[in-house]
Amino acid sequence: AAEPPTGPETAARNSLRAGIELRRRRRAQRAAACTAVVAVITAAALAVTGAARNPATPGEGTPTVYVLGGGHTRGTVTPVSAATNSPGEPIVVRSGFEVGQGTDMVITPNGKTIWVASGADTVTPVSAATQRAGKPVKVVHGYDEGTEQVVVTPDGKTAYVLDTTGAVTPISTARHKPGQPIELGQGAGGGAQMAITPNGKTLYVALFYPAGASYVIPIATATNRAGKRIRIATAATAIVASPDGKTVYVVGQSLTAPGTGQQQIEVTPIATATNRAGKPIVVGKGSLGTDTPVAMTPDGQTIYIPDNTPNGVIPFFTATNRPGKLIGLGPAIVQSIAITPDGSTAYVISSPLTNASYKNVVVPGDGGARECTGTPGDVTPIATATDTVGKPIKVGCQPTSIAITPDGKTAYVGSQSGTVTPIATATGQPRTPIKIENPQAIVITP
């Protein structure tokens, strides 16, 4: 496999630009503005403080759903009361950009601040108490191409932002000040993801290279220094840390299965004590999309991995490092996976293979609403104890994002048709869709 660019500045710039164009083509092929982000926040880790000016904010103890969306001229975060499913006034987090270019959103463990990577070169804090956006924090230090991902340490003191130059910028959540960018020595030419250990001591950054081996770089959060890069003998597409903090799992794809010419899905474990990668474990003979939406159960026993050829998800059991049988979902592409806080059910969002399932609707102003004209997407519940598939739930056109309330009673699903649909998990019944422009990501608090 070819080594990543480490030579002259010209080579690095060319690799970076090629990676950016590759990601743009993938967005167009998926007909979705960006990869969905899933954030399920447990009630025990969060608290609600202060009074809010927004009528959508319920009283203490009632969850509030925050939806990142917007249109061609602004990005917004819309609060929705989980008690009434009524949206409040959208909070503008950025103006003058198109939603979908590097959008991501995460909430601090104390529930006080939502950090929004709203495209281009900034991250914007939103106060959950006042429901007002703070001053954007500039993080991208070169090429001005945009953010990839944002994560917050378990103690809530630092937000880390990954940008398309392949650097990570730490932000003090108390002072809203960026620190010195952590250079990783190469651009994020094929995309990248981050995962942080539960003790908050190490941030792992996976740099993806679709044509060959990938690399994972550990960053010590105490010093914000990058360690020696870890070579992964596969084209990585996702990374996730176990709840006990002992292992980081990298999901990826081999170029071909030996002697068959067929692609394989692989999982590579990395021991966090030594930062050594184990041997890749074959979990299936299929294909992965870019930035694969994997999900791990709260007990760390199972990772659910999409397989787009054939279509479905594969359970990977971490105790034995062995895969289970493919759980088929029909002719559809997995967009996102969320697991209930008690770990009993995995909800898998999938969209039809055809992208022609909606049409644009001309509306006043900034628009973005769409009308479904074909087969809606599905949310499919899977009982994690038996991996039994429940009845698919129809929701909107091309659903992409999902989050579940801390009590596990309601799942909120955003779709490209311009709606967020609440689903009662006890009955599997969808409720009246909530109209929100171009929903991209969802988080929930308390």
Side-chain angles (χ1 to χ4, degrees):
E3 289 291 321
T6 56
E9 181 180 357
T10 300
R13 286 174 180 260
N14 290 340
S15 174
L16 172 61
R17 288 167 180 160
I20 292 169
E21 290 302 319
L22 178 62
R23 287 194 295 279
R24 286 174 176 165
R25 290 196 298 270
R26 288 168 180 160
R27 290 191 186 105
Q29 290 168 355
R30 292 195 303 265
C34 75
T35 302
V37 179
V38 178
V40 179
I41 309 299
T42 58
L46 300 172
V48 175
T49 60
R53 67 177 178 89
N54 202 306
T57 305
E60 185 174 351
T62 303
T64 300
V65 181
Y66 293 90
V67 183
L68 174 62
H72 294 291
T73 61
R74 67 174 189 170
T76 62
V77 172
T78 301
V80 177
S81 167
T84 63
N85 288 331
S86 301
E89 180 184 352
I91 305 162
V92 177
V93 293
R94 184 171 174 86
S95 299
F97 86 111
E98 182 174 355
V99 170
Q101 298 177 355
T103 51
D104 195 6
M105 182 168 64
V106 69
I107 195 164
T108 53
N110 63 9
K112 291 183 178 180
T113 309
I114 303 155
W115 287 89
V116 184
S118 52
D121 58 353
T122 60
V123 177
T124 303
V126 174
S127 168
T130 64
Q131 300 206 338
R132 293 180 183 274
K135 183 180 179 180
V137 181
K138 188 169 184 177
V139 292
V140 177
H141 63 283
Y143 305 118
D144 195 30
E145 287 291 346
T147 52
E148 286 275 355
Q149 186 187 8
V150 56
V151 300
V152 175
T153 54
D155 62 10
K157 293 182 179 180
T158 309
Y160 286 93
V161 184
L162 174 67
D163 64 48
T164 52
T165 70
V168 175
T169 302
I171 298 176
S172 167
T173 58
R175 297 183 295 113
H176 292 185
K177 296 291 185 181
Q180 183 69 25
I182 305 165
E183 302 287 351
L184 301 183
Q186 57 204 59
Q193 276 188 18
M194 297 184 291
I196 194 165
T197 54
N199 62 11
K201 290 184 178 180
T202 309
L203 177 72
Y204 288 87
V205 184
L207 299 173
F208 305 155
Y209 288 87
S214 299
Y215 295 85
V216 174
I217 300 177
I219 296 174
T221 58
T223 61
N224 284 333
R225 292 183 180 274
K228 183 179 180 180
R229 65 184 185 178
I230 306 164
R231 186 179 186 274
I232 305 297
T234 186
T237 61
I239 184 170
V240 61
S242 63
D244 63 10
K246 294 181 179 180
T247 311
V248 170
Y249 295 91
V250 180
V251 178
Q253 186 147 7
S254 64
L255 297 181
T256 59
T260 67
Q262 186 176 20
Q263 293 177 313
Q264 294 181 154
I265 298 173
E266 299 176 340
V267 173
T268 303
I270 297 175
T272 58
T274 61
N275 282 336
R276 290 185 178 180
K279 184 179 179 180
I281 303 160
V282 177
V283 299
K285 294 181 179 180
S287 63
L288 297 170
T290 57
D291 297 323
T292 304
V294 303
M296 178 180 279
T297 53
D299 61 8
Q301 295 296 307
T302 309
I303 305 173
Y304 286 91
I305 303 169
D307 185 348
N308 292 330
T309 313
N311 306 108
V313 293
I314 301 171
F316 177 80
F317 306 116
T318 59
T320 60
N321 279 341
R322 292 181 180 275
K325 293 182 179 180
L326 174 75
I327 304 170
L329 298 175
I333 297 295
V334 174
Q335 301 285 353
S336 188
I337 306 172
I339 299 175
T340 53
D342 64 5
S344 63
T345 309
Y347 286 88
V348 181
I349 293 181
S350 58
S351 294
L353 292 178
T354 174
N355 289 328
S357 59
Y358 58 79
K359 66 180 180 181
N360 290 330
V361 177
V362 178
V363 296
D366 199 18
R370 291 168 175 173
E371 179 184 355
C372 191
T373 61
T375 304
D378 291 331
V379 177
T380 303
I382 299 174
T384 58
T386 61
D387 285 332
T388 303
V389 177
K391 183 180 179 181
I393 306 163
K394 300 297 182 182
V395 286
C397 281
Q398 202 170 9
T400 56
S401 53
I402 182 172
I404 301 172
T405 53
D407 60 11
K409 293 182 178 180
T410 309
Y412 287 84
V413 181
S415 73
Q416 296 300 307
S417 54
T419 60
V420 173
T421 303
I423 297 173
T425 57
T427 63
Q429 293 298 316
R431 297 168 181 164
T432 303
I434 306 162
K435 292 183 179 180
I436 294 179
E437 186 179 25
N438 196 17
Q440 297 294 316
I442 305 171
V443 295
I444 300 176
T445 182

